[in-house]
Amino acid sequence: MKRPSGRAADQLRSIRITRNYTKHAEGSVLVEFDDTKVVCTASVEAGVPRFLKGQGQGWLTAEYGMLPRATGSRNQREASRGKQGGRTLEIQRLIGRSLRAALDMSKLGENTLYIDCDVIQADGGTRTASITGAMVALVDALAVLKKRGALKGGNPLKQMVAAVSVGMYQGEAVLDLDYLEDSAAETDLNVVMTDAGGFIEVQGTAEGAPFQPEELNAMLALAQAGMQELFAVQQAALAD
């Protein structure tokens, strides 16, 4: 089996995280998984949704979108259609769930973190790139909150979170699928993990034949190994 990119089965794409990518957001990054590029921002607003008022805890929510020409052909803006598509809603809920797992909301105070992930170029793995990049933007936003004196209960950050795709391609488990592989994969999994080794979410679909337990184990093992590299990339970006 030869991957279209020429990568080994257990090889991630080239990954780069550029911090402070935009001027105004408390945290912002450009995350690049080769040709997949996503701008992730973390914005802070005082106050929480109505269902949390008076409880002394914070909230995090996420939005996801893809620019009209992020792909090979132009997609209509969802705003012009008057509603978000099911895929968009699913992905932004995944991003929100994943990043909330990184935080102790009781230490955030009554503040809301808004995570925005905007895909400017797509070549597979946009949701996993969004989570991995947005985690870094979130850490920077928390640093701003601390500097403002808005964190009264200590550091809300419990753990780092990252995500990667794995799949069965031509009968073999492979890590970090690009578009050519994703569109032809027999099985596609998106895996979200913590830097302590815990799983937050595993989304898996058999596009062709059902996958077997040993194939699932092989894919999860690849994801776990690749995740260590992703956490190293995040830490290197935060150290800059």
Side-chain angles (χ1 to χ4, degrees):
M1 189 275 299
K2 185 176 181 181
R3 303 182 71 175
S5 63
R7 288 181 286 143
D10 61 352
Q11 186 178 356
L12 291 167
R13 288 176 282 183
S14 175
I15 300 166
R16 180 164 52 182
I17 298 176
T18 305
R19 288 166 65 211
N20 304 314
Y21 191 69
T22 64
K23 178 179 179 180
H24 299 293
E26 282 80 1
S28 68
V29 307
L30 170 68
V31 58
E32 302 171 79
F33 278 53
D34 272 351
D35 285 337
T36 287
K37 304 178 192 294
V38 187
V39 176
C40 306
T41 59
S43 304
V44 178
E45 286 189 11
V48 290
R50 185 176 301 173
F51 71 92
L52 286 174
K53 284 187 176 179
Q55 298 184 30
Q57 70 177 68
W59 185 243
L60 180 148
T61 188
E63 293 187 15
Y64 166 95
M66 189 176 291
L67 294 189
R69 202 55 207 273
T71 57
S73 58
R74 185 185 186 277
N75 293 313
Q76 186 181 8
R77 292 183 190 272
E78 290 183 319
S80 67
R81 297 201 300 266
K83 65 177 182 178
Q84 291 178 302
R87 177 182 180 274
T88 297
L89 290 170
E90 177 220 337
I91 291 175
Q92 64 189 31
R93 287 169 182 161
L94 171 65
I95 296 168
R97 287 194 303 270
S98 300
L99 296 180
R100 283 194 291 273
L103 299 177
D104 181 345
M105 295 297 177
S106 67
K107 294 182 178 180
L108 189 58
E110 292 204 354
N111 297 292
T112 298
L113 288 156
Y114 292 91
I115 305 298
D116 290 289
C117 299
D118 294 289
V119 180
I120 60 175
Q121 185 168 284
D123 187 32
T126 60
R127 73 187 69 192
T128 52
S130 294
I131 292 167
T132 303
M135 183 69 239
V136 175
L138 173 56
V139 172
D140 280 340
L142 292 175
V144 171
L145 273 172
K146 181 180 179 181
K147 188 175 180 180
R148 292 175 181 171
L151 300 177
K152 306 299 184 183
N155 188 358
L157 185 65
K158 296 192 300 185
Q159 55 203 355
M160 295 294 287
V161 169
V164 73
S165 64
V166 285
M168 297 300 300
Y169 178 74
Q170 295 184 5
E172 186 172 343
V174 295
L175 177 67
D176 191 17
L177 283 68
D178 59 25
Y179 176 75
L180 288 176
E181 292 171 330
D182 188 31
S183 60
E186 296 97 56
T187 300
D188 179 23
L189 261 65
N190 295 297
V191 181
V192 187
M193 294 185 68
T194 73
D195 59 351
F199 290 93
I200 295 173
E201 191 147 348
V202 178
Q203 296 182 333
T205 304
E207 301 288 352
F211 54 91
Q212 300 303 311
E214 59 271 18
E215 293 173 330
L216 175 61
N217 290 335
M219 288 185 284
L220 291 178
L222 275 182
Q224 288 175 291
M227 210 70 70
Q228 297 311 307
E229 294 183 54
L230 291 178
F231 288 124
V233 171
Q234 288 178 331
Q235 293 299 338
L238 289 166
D240 285 345

